[in-house]
Amino acid sequence: MRRIVRLVIVLSVLAAFAAPAAMAAERMWIGFHDDPSFRWVGDRKARVQGASQTNATIMRLLVQWNVVAKTRPSNPTSPFDAAYNFDDIDEAVRAAQENDQEVVLTISGTPRWANGGKSPNIMPRRVADFTSFARAIASRYSGRFEGYPFVRFFSVWNEPNLTQFLAPQFNGQGRSVAPANYAKLAAAAYTGIKAGNRQALVSVGETSARGSDKPTGLRPNHTPGTFAELVAKANPRLRFDAWSHHPYPFNPNSPPTQRVRWPNVSLALLPRFDAELKIWFKRKSVPIWITEYGHQTTPEDPLGIPYAKQAAYIQQSMSMVSRYSFVPMFIWFVYQDTQGAGPEWESGIYTRGGNPKGQSPSRFTTTARPLDARNGVVVVPRGTLTPLINVYTRRYCANSSSGTPVGMTWRVFRGGRLISVGQQTAPLRNDCTISARVRVPGGVARGQTYIVTFEMNNASGVLLNRRITLRAAS
């Protein structure tokens, strides 16, 4: 949240960052994580468009450092070093932008040249190499380079509380080592991302829902609660904008309301997790991004749930987390059942052949629509006559450069009655937003809710509509 003169602007994701605990998250970024569908299949552009038509407003992509940089770059902080191959990421980010969606990039996986020829789940020998890569990718998508979209959200590593993604979790003496190592990775990435794009928001964690906290056995992993606590002990001053988590049910048949034994963390335990994170990191607020969640279906997976139950769980899970003021993001895994480079997942809302799984797509659409983070909530001091409103206009960055004027007609409604109307132009910012100052006769009154609509157009004739909720600060 930031102050502009006397205005307190609380818009979209930022509203959830500072909302009182008793309030719901009125808006959330909602979308899908599905790298195969959005990056590698032949009809990927159609799938991105299809996702946007379900009211998805964000796309999560996993960026493997070991794949993007198979050889050591000569200028590692340069976003255009010849060693880097961002081609499929570039295309997916552009497709998201063309469909009015934000992107969150999760960077993970160490190249062999950076860790002595070992597997991607082993730490780099020099975390400064990870800082350089993070800076390069954040710079590439900073909005400063023509043709390369602005990326607002980043996260660091994938499920680092599991041996599969960060090893070792424990040393030969059974002592926990992964949380302290991850604290180094997170600090290194945060520094690099902010150096490349100071406007970017960075989450850490990306924790899996469960673990054993045992150094021996089939799963020598950490539970998310233990892992986060030990990360905080390793670096109590770790800087981040949010904690990311994957609160999957322990089996597909378990409902979103499933309660598990702490320090495992399901959807139902997110309030406790958030409270503990604030204690461990000594913060007044810790937003939690849900960057993976889903339920697999039968008959595709013998252990899955029927299509009708998946549709019900989609609505239930979204409605459930919308009551958590600290959750500004919810990402479903995956959009369409696809066999990718890794294990198959059957948690898509479409079958592998592209057929809808019963009512799952329509339930996703209707539940996501009222939570659309692009239609933000703005809170200003009581009596403000001309509030300044920041508006998301991502689609315009697909065919207009920074500084391009955007025309608009805005209307202010109170109790369904039109009380003010105006027209103006505003320059498109490099982060794909514009600012507009509207007029509220008599000033914004306490206890009143105003709806501000924007009808916008650019030189290419692209039309965008936004609906902003305006209130006075209590």
Side-chain angles (χ1 to χ4, degrees):
M1 186 182 298
R2 61 177 181 163
R3 292 185 181 273
I4 303 177
V5 191
R6 295 176 58 249
L7 298 178
V8 181
I9 304 299
V10 185
L11 179 62
S12 305
V13 64
L14 299 182
F17 282 15
M23 292 179 61
E26 295 183 82
R27 303 291 187 269
M28 291 193 301
W29 296 104
I30 295 176
F32 298 95
H33 176 197
D34 191 340
D35 287 296
S37 285
F38 300 151
R39 292 165 67 181
W40 303 320
V41 297
D43 63 341
R44 53 191 177 274
K45 288 189 177 181
R47 295 194 191 188
V48 174
Q49 184 178 31
S52 72
Q53 292 170 350
T54 66
N55 285 326
T57 56
I58 193 166
M59 172 198 299
R60 180 183 180 230
L61 303 173
L62 190 63
V63 182
Q64 291 292 125
W65 181 23
N66 57 300
V67 174
V68 171
K70 292 183 178 180
T71 59
R72 182 187 292 275
S74 58
N75 186 2
T77 61
S78 169
F80 304 105
D81 188 279
Y84 291 138
N85 182 3
F86 289 107
D87 290 351
D88 62 327
I89 304 166
D90 288 344
E91 181 184 311
V93 173
R94 291 185 185 114
Q97 180 161 274
E98 289 167 1
N99 287 279
D100 209 23
Q101 296 183 73
E102 298 288 333
V103 173
V104 54
L105 296 179
T106 300
I107 53 177
S108 189
T110 310
R112 291 172 59 84
W113 58 260
N115 65 6
K118 298 177 182 178
S119 57
N121 63 341
I122 302 298
M123 285 279 291
R125 289 181 294 188
R126 296 173 62 252
V127 293
D129 289 331
F130 192 44
T131 300
S132 296
F133 176 69
R135 180 172 181 172
I137 191 170
S139 297
R140 189 179 184 94
Y141 304 119
S142 64
R144 298 194 302 268
F145 303 103
E146 190 72 27
Y148 295 90
F150 176 90
V151 171
R152 197 176 311 279
F153 304 106
F154 290 84
S155 63
V156 184
W157 224 255
N158 183 64
E159 299 189 344
N161 59 318
L162 304 185
T163 302
Q164 178 182 357
F165 299 105
L166 184 61
Q169 293 282 306
F170 303 88
N171 64 15
Q173 291 72 47
R175 178 174 170 269
S176 173
V177 294
N181 283 337
Y182 180 73
K184 296 175 184 176
L185 287 171
Y190 181 93
T191 297
I193 292 168
K194 293 292 187 176
N197 179 6
R198 62 183 179 82
Q199 297 171 282
L201 296 175
V202 183
S203 77
V204 300
E206 288 290 354
T207 38
S208 172
R210 59 177 172 170
S212 68
D213 292 329
K214 296 179 181 179
T216 59
L218 292 176
R219 293 187 177 89
N221 302 317
H222 287 81
T223 58
T226 298
F227 186 83
E229 183 177 13
L230 293 177
V231 169
K233 287 183 178 179
N235 187 352
R237 297 182 179 180
L238 182 65
R239 293 179 294 171
F240 59 90
D241 297 304
W243 187 277
S244 295
H245 185 57
H246 305 166
Y248 286 108
F250 278 21
N251 62 72
N253 285 286
S254 298
T257 54
Q258 179 195 29
R259 299 191 68 85
V260 297
R261 179 174 295 182
W262 178 265
N264 296 298
V265 180
S266 61
L267 279 177
L269 267 69
L270 285 177
R272 177 172 179 178
F273 194 28
D274 187 66
E276 298 288 358
L277 286 167
K278 288 187 285 189
I279 293 171
W280 297 330
F281 287 101
K282 297 179 175 60
R283 293 179 173 219
K284 292 183 179 180
S285 67
V286 177
I288 294 179
W289 299 353
I290 298 174
T291 47
E292 284 188 31
Y293 184 79
H295 290 264
Q296 298 195 82
T297 56
T298 184
E300 295 83 11
D301 187 320
L303 300 177
I305 58 177
Y307 292 172
K309 184 171 284 190
Q310 187 198 50
Y313 284 176
I314 286 171
Q315 180 176 354
Q316 186 178 18
S317 59
M318 284 192 204
S319 299
M320 184 175 174
V321 298
S322 72
R323 295 193 290 271
Y324 299 153
S325 64
F326 53 86
V327 177
M329 185 183 297
F330 180 89
I331 294 178
W332 187 269
F333 187 95
V334 288
Y335 173 69
Q336 182 169 333
D337 293 351
T338 311
Q339 183 174 359
E344 294 182 39
W345 282 91
E346 288 84 18
S347 52
I349 63 174
Y350 289 91
T351 67
R352 186 180 303 183
N355 297 314
K357 293 185 178 178
Q359 295 184 358
S360 288
S362 61
R363 198 70 63 88
F364 190 101
T365 300
T366 56
T367 309
R369 182 181 295 118
L371 298 170
D372 191 333
R374 297 168 301 190
N375 295 323
V377 178
V378 176
V379 179
V380 300
R382 180 166 56 94
T384 301
L385 292 167
T386 56
L388 184 68
I389 297 178
N390 196 46
V391 185
Y392 286 95
T393 54
R394 164 67 63 179
R395 174 66 181 82
Y396 287 148
C397 282
N399 54 15
S400 299
S401 58
S402 178
T404 299
V406 174
M408 74 188 80
T409 298
W410 53 259
R411 294 176 175 85
V412 181
F413 297 85
R414 183 178 62 194
R417 184 171 66 90
L418 178 65
I419 62 172
S420 183
V421 62
Q423 293 183 321
Q424 65 184 82
T425 60
L428 182 66
R429 296 197 188 97
N430 74 325
D431 69 344
C432 306
T433 65
I434 62 170
S435 286
R437 195 172 291 281
V438 304
R439 180 171 48 85
V440 180
V444 178
R446 179 176 295 176
Q448 292 286 337
T449 295
Y450 303 81
I451 299 299
V452 185
T453 64
F454 291 88
E455 296 178 0
M456 299 171 288
N457 61 86
N458 66 0
S460 300
V462 177
L463 304 179
L464 277 182
N465 295 292
R466 295 287 185 257
R467 180 184 175 90
I468 307 297
T469 300
L470 176 66
R471 299 193 188 103
S474 58

